[in-house]
Amino acid sequence: MEPQPRRRGRPAGARAGETPTRERILAAARSVFAERGYDKTSIRAIAKAAEVDPALVHHYFGAKEQVFEAAIEVSFAPALNIADLLAGGLEDIGERFARYFLGVWERPMTRAPLLAVVRSAVTNETAAAVLRGFVLRALVSRVVGELDVPDARLRAELAASQMVGVALLRYVVRIEPLASADVEEIVAYVGPTLQRYLTAGPAAGTH
Amino acid sequence: MEPQPRRRGRPAGARAGETPTRERILAAARSVFAERGYDKTSIRAIAKAAEVDPALVHHYFGAKEQVFEAAIEVSFAPALNIADLLAGGLEDIGERFARYFLGVWERPMTRAPLLAVVRSAVTNETAAAVLRGFVLRALVSRVVGELDVPDARLRAELAASQMVGVALLRYVVRIEPLASADVEEIVAYVGPTLQRYLTAGPAAGTH
């Protein structure tokens, strides 16, 4: 491995979105939001954790709401690698989705930030609005584009609701035996649910 | 209808569990927990709202955890009238369960305290433990007794997870179109999911 030359300072023309400072602030924001929740997090606290001036946080992101939005985007990144999932076709998409999302929640590294986002959204209206916009734009819309069923958006949201509910009872409330059940056992039950929501014909007679 | 004689005062030997004071404290506890969440609620604040001495709260319930438990019990009472639901047999139990639970969440009167409990449980470990014990004892156990399938308890919890997830995305995060969808449309999708969890044969091959 050849040693990389260390760059000193950064070129005046470097784009803001790619500077290490922005990343450092974002990492700090994620951990402060995760620790304290949306309500109790301030721009000042994020700046302090990132060891920068609060003005820099404003410069890169804007208000607290936007910092939270950026932090959500990073937190959900592993859960949003759904292009690969969709590329596998629709035949056993329910099972693959269930296994993939449970996998994301199983790893403490990826679970903690998701949990932080859910906690913030449940207790704060602004955080809920940010999560709502993000889920719609980045998750539901992508899945909907691949479905060839009526009510595609509602169906994608119902699939999401099943996974959110399992995550809440398994990882937050930790109800037994769900909390200790084998991932594959849950996949065997939940996979067909997602499959039906995402691909089956219209629901039987709505009264 | 004959007029009931009004009782004046209460007999010295009246059981503590049936006194109006206990009910007044409980009502106050529900509204304070709902407003502030578990973390920010104190026995003193509950006593103040009920216009009694804090010692009386301790006398009737014990510590904050026990007051919360009693408040949960009252909050969930409308959701726990499941004896009638179960009495209807298992044939379309999924649809009936879905319609019933959505009905409870639809009414602002019954939604507010449920929401308060969920918010507290998501953000506080003690509140989560109380909810966990309560859900297991009062809800899951009763349903499990009526089911004649393997993994009955896990299945009841998976059914609960679907309803919790819908409640969270529809009433808390308020994602569209799920938030505005007709109750019967949701019942048509979710009913078969609950039906399969609660009554269908064992899940297909767990890998």
Side-chain angles (χ1 to χ4, degrees):
Chain A
M1 232 191 286
E2 285 180 38
Q4 297 285 318
R6 273 188 77 180
R7 280 198 227 150
R8 288 174 192 280
R10 62 182 160 94
R15 286 171 43 181
E18 294 165 2
T19 59
T21 306
R22 186 182 189 280
E23 277 156 33
R24 191 144 49 93
I25 295 170
L26 201 50
R30 288 179 70 197
S31 84
V32 177
F33 278 124
E35 203 178 292
R36 309 186 187 177
Y38 185 86
D39 274 339
K40 292 182 197 149
T41 296
S42 64
I43 293 275
R44 176 185 290 275
I46 293 169
K48 195 177 171 196
E51 297 177 348
V52 300
D53 191 273
L56 262 185
V57 180
H58 279 293
H59 167 71
Y60 281 116
F61 297 96
K64 183 167 87 166
E65 193 177 328
Q66 279 86 45
V67 188
F68 185 69
E69 198 163 3
I72 277 190
E73 195 129 359
V74 177
S75 297
F76 274 77
L80 285 175
N81 189 14
I82 54 178
D84 291 352
L85 280 171
L86 290 167
L90 293 177
E91 204 182 321
D92 56 354
I93 187 79
E95 198 180 308
R96 279 184 286 128
F97 258 115
R99 187 173 293 121
Y100 182 77
F101 280 109
L102 284 169
V104 172
W105 276 94
E106 282 293 303
R107 290 189 295 279
M109 273 285 289
T110 43
R111 182 195 308 168
L114 286 180
L115 210 49
V117 168
V118 171
R119 287 201 166 110
S120 294
V122 168
T123 48
N124 180 282
E125 183 49 44
T126 306
V130 172
L131 179 63
R132 182 163 63 240
F134 181 77
V135 168
L136 284 174
R137 201 176 61 248
L139 216 142
V140 173
S141 295
R142 288 194 207 171
V143 174
V144 164
E146 301 296 320
L147 303 181
D148 185 25
V149 283
D151 312 327
R153 190 169 283 269
L154 177 63
R155 286 156 169 272
E157 292 175 7
L158 286 169
S161 80
Q162 173 63 90
M163 294 317 297
V164 165
V166 167
L168 201 71
L169 290 192
R170 178 174 166 91
Y171 303 106
V172 183
V173 180
R174 293 203 299 279
I175 193 172
E176 292 292 356
L178 182 58
S180 310
D182 191 82
V183 167
E184 283 303 321
E185 192 176 7
I186 300 171
V187 168
Y189 278 111
V190 166
T193 299
L194 305 188
Q195 187 73 33
R196 188 170 57 79
Y197 289 155
L198 297 176
T199 66
T206 39
H207 310 234
Chain B
M1 232 191 285
E2 285 179 40
Q4 297 285 318
R6 271 189 76 181
R7 280 197 228 149
R8 288 177 193 280
R10 63 184 160 95
R15 285 172 43 183
E18 293 163 3
T19 59
T21 305
R22 186 183 189 279
E23 277 156 34
R24 191 144 48 92
I25 294 170
L26 201 50
R30 287 179 72 198
S31 83
V32 177
F33 278 125
E35 203 177 291
R36 309 186 187 178
Y38 186 86
D39 274 339
K40 291 181 198 152
T41 297
S42 64
I43 294 276
R44 176 185 291 275
I46 293 170
K48 195 176 170 195
E51 297 177 348
V52 301
D53 191 274
L56 263 185
V57 181
H58 279 294
H59 168 71
Y60 281 116
F61 298 96
K64 182 167 88 166
E65 192 177 328
Q66 279 86 47
V67 188
F68 185 69
E69 197 163 3
I72 278 190
E73 195 129 358
V74 177
S75 298
F76 274 77
L80 285 176
N81 189 13
I82 54 179
D84 291 352
L85 279 172
L86 289 167
L90 293 177
E91 204 181 322
D92 56 355
I93 187 78
E95 199 180 307
R96 280 184 285 128
F97 257 115
R99 187 173 292 119
Y100 182 77
F101 279 109
L102 285 169
V104 172
W105 276 95
E106 282 293 302
R107 291 189 295 278
M109 273 286 289
T110 42
R111 183 195 309 169
L114 286 179
L115 210 50
V117 168
V118 171
R119 285 201 167 109
S120 293
V122 168
T123 48
N124 180 283
E125 183 50 43
T126 307
V130 172
L131 179 63
R132 181 164 62 239
F134 181 77
V135 168
L136 284 174
R137 200 174 63 247
L139 216 141
V140 173
S141 295
R142 288 195 208 170
V143 174
V144 164
E146 301 295 320
L147 302 182
D148 184 26
V149 284
D151 312 326
R153 190 168 283 269
L154 178 64
R155 286 157 170 272
E157 292 174 8
L158 286 168
S161 80
Q162 173 62 91
M163 294 317 296
V164 164
V166 166
L168 200 71
L169 291 191
R170 178 175 167 89
Y171 303 105
V172 183
V173 180
R174 292 202 300 279
I175 193 171
E176 292 293 357
L178 182 59
S180 310
D182 191 82
V183 166
E184 283 301 323
E185 192 177 7
I186 300 172
V187 168
Y189 278 112
V190 167
T193 298
L194 305 188
Q195 187 71 33
R196 188 170 57 79
Y197 289 156
L198 297 176
T199 66
T206 39
H207 310 235

